[in-house]
Amino acid sequence: TGTYIFREKESIKRRYFEDTPFKALLSMLKSEVKGNKIGIDLKYLSNFVVENIKETLKGNYEMQDITGLIYKLRAIKDKEEIERFKKAAEINSKAINYAIKNLYIGITEQEIHSIILTKMLQEGADEWLQTTVAVGKQNGHDIYNQPTDKKVEKGDVIRFDTTAVYKGYISDNSK
């Protein structure tokens, strides 16, 4: 069972589905689409996904490419959306800065990672999508490495790459 977020103008609805996000999408389309047209961002979705949507809906719907409209809508942010982006960025920055202030020789990547995630939640993040802490030369190039028990040594370079989510809005930060 997983949680998938579908963003809406007024609120963020959480729906719980078993299986994959793709099957959740198909289930939602079958049960909630009204009318006979579905707008799709064809530049974002793979052919595999589009073909599976067509198969699931069995010709009862006409799919229209609304890529241009979606990009125009994404470009326009209201005051609340801007505030959410700012808050997500603030949470992210505070978490990294807090971790930096609490570094010491001998702390592990895992401990730094825990400090960042805890601080994000304390500052109001709903969740995080990806958080990387890379200590030393061996992990510095791999932005998606999992934190290890590698300890900080004198002279190490520490790389942070974090993503905080606040009310469905994402801030990605790297230092």
Side-chain angles (χ1 to χ4, degrees):
T1 302
T3 303
Y4 304 101
I5 298 175
F6 298 91
R7 289 176 182 79
E8 294 184 356
K9 175 87 175 143
E10 297 301 317
S11 66
I12 298 169
K13 291 185 177 179
R14 291 186 180 263
R15 298 168 184 248
Y16 298 90
F17 293 91
E18 291 189 11
D19 230 338
T20 66
F22 180 70
K23 287 186 180 180
L25 171 65
L26 293 177
S27 172
M28 184 189 73
L29 286 174
K30 285 180 8 184
S31 67
E32 296 188 24
V33 170
K34 307 294 185 243
N36 64 349
K37 293 182 182 180
I38 297 175
I40 295 183
D41 181 348
L42 291 176
K43 288 192 178 181
Y44 175 76
L45 296 176
S46 70
N47 286 337
F48 172 79
V49 171
V50 172
E51 291 305 315
N52 275 279
I53 291 171
K54 285 180 183 178
E55 183 179 317
T56 299
L57 300 176
K58 306 219 187 298
N60 296 325
Y61 299 89
E62 176 188 341
M63 292 195 323
Q64 295 181 335
D65 183 1
I66 59 167
T67 302
L69 175 61
I70 289 173
Y71 289 149
K72 285 179 185 176
L73 292 172
R74 286 180 182 160
I76 301 167
K77 305 292 182 233
D78 63 26
K79 185 176 179 179
E80 182 181 344
E81 290 174 303
I82 292 168
E83 291 306 313
R84 288 180 181 186
F85 275 123
K86 286 180 179 179
K87 181 64 176 176
E90 177 186 316
I91 290 167
N92 211 347
S93 290
K94 283 183 175 181
I96 291 176
N97 291 336
Y98 183 78
I100 290 170
K101 289 178 186 174
N102 287 280
L103 292 175
Y104 56 89
I105 301 297
I107 192 171
T108 67
E109 287 178 344
Q110 291 170 340
E111 291 169 321
I112 299 167
H113 186 258
S114 291
I115 289 170
I116 291 171
L117 299 184
T118 300
K119 188 65 173 171
M120 281 184 185
L121 293 174
Q122 288 172 344
E123 292 295 328
D126 302 317
E127 60 182 316
W128 58 90
L129 296 181
Q130 169 265 324
T131 299
T132 300
V133 177
V135 173
K137 296 176 185 175
Q138 88 286 2
N139 286 334
H141 67 282
D142 183 3
I143 62 168
Y144 298 113
N145 73 303
Q146 295 297 309
T148 68
D149 59 358
K150 164 84 171 109
K151 293 181 179 182
V152 171
E153 298 175 7
K154 186 174 181 176
D156 275 344
V157 173
I158 303 170
R159 184 174 188 283
F160 302 92
D161 191 351
T162 61
T163 306
V165 180
Y166 176 74
K167 294 188 178 179
Y169 291 79
I170 300 167
S171 168
D172 190 298
N173 196 342
S174 184
K175 287 188 179 187

